[in-house]
Amino acid sequence: MGISEIMAKMISFSEGNIHDVNHFLKVWAYAKTIGELEQLDSETQLTLEVAAITHDIACPLCRAKYGNTNGKYQEIEGAPLVRQFLSDTGLSSAQVERIAYLVGHHHTYTDIEGLDYQILVEADYIVNAEEHPYPAENIRNFQGKVFRTPSGAALLQAIYGL
C-alpha cells in the first residue's frame, strides 16, 4: 500500500472530521517538503510521510475518552492505534514500529533522535502555530529551542515573517 492508499484510509478513519483531515494533510505536506529539502533517503522519507499522515490518529479516541486532545494523551493512545491501523499496509514491522514511536512522541520536544522525528515535530508545529494562532514571540522561542533543520527553520521564518 502506498502513500495515497494510506492517506485515503486515514481520511476514512477520520469519519468526516474535516479539521482532523485538513490538519494531517497540512502536516504531511510540510513534512514531505522538509524531508525532500533535507534529502532524506527513501525509506526515512516514507516513514516520515506515513507518520505525518497518522500522527494524530488518537484524536477521536482522546475526545471520547478524555474530552480533549491533549498531546500527552495522543502519545499514549496513538502508538497502539497506529500499529493496528498499519497492520495491513505491507510496511515492514520495523517501519511500523518506527512510525508508532514517532506517533507516540510527536509532542515530546526533548531528546529528539532522527531526522524523521525532528521533521515531524517541525511540520506539526508549523501547522499548529497557524491553527491556534500562536504569538510571534512563542514561535521565535520554539524555533530557537526546537527547530534544527535548515529547511524547517526557513519555512517557519517565511510563513510567520520572523
Side-chain angles (χ1 to χ4, degrees), residues 1-131:
M1 190 177 289
I3 290 292
S4 296
E5 292 85 6
I6 293 170
M7 182 89 65
K9 185 176 178 179
M10 190 64 194
I11 290 169
S12 293
F13 183 86
S14 299
E15 298 181 340
N17 186 313
I18 293 169
H19 173 269
D20 286 358
V21 171
N22 285 336
H23 178 80
F24 80 71
L25 287 172
K26 289 185 283 187
V27 172
W28 168 76
Y30 284 117
K32 177 178 174 48
T33 300
I34 296 167
E36 289 175 356
L37 290 170
E38 294 296 321
Q39 301 179 335
L40 295 182
D41 64 84
S42 60
E43 185 168 336
T44 305
Q45 182 74 30
L46 175 64
T47 300
L48 168 64
E49 290 187 37
V50 175
I53 292 165
T54 59
H55 77 283
D56 279 351
I57 194 167
C59 284
L61 173 64
C62 290
R63 284 185 199 101
K65 187 173 180 178
Y66 305 106
N68 65 67
T69 58
N70 175 282
K72 288 301 160 194
Y73 295 148
Q74 288 181 46
E75 289 183 339
I76 292 165
E77 304 289 351
L81 281 174
V82 84
R83 284 186 189 97
Q84 180 181 356
F85 181 83
L86 296 174
S87 65
D88 66 347
T89 60
L91 293 169
S92 73
S93 59
Q95 288 171 310
V96 170
E97 282 308 307
R98 180 61 180 173
I99 293 162
Y101 177 83
L102 296 173
V103 169
H105 290 82
H106 77 278
H107 283 285
T108 300
Y109 306 128
T110 55
D111 300 320
I112 294 174
E113 292 184 20
L115 271 177
D116 50 359
Y117 185 177
Q118 182 66 46
I119 293 168
L120 179 60
V121 164
E122 292 178 7
D124 193 34
Y125 186 83
I126 289 170
V127 175
N128 284 333
E130 176 263 321
E131 291 179 348

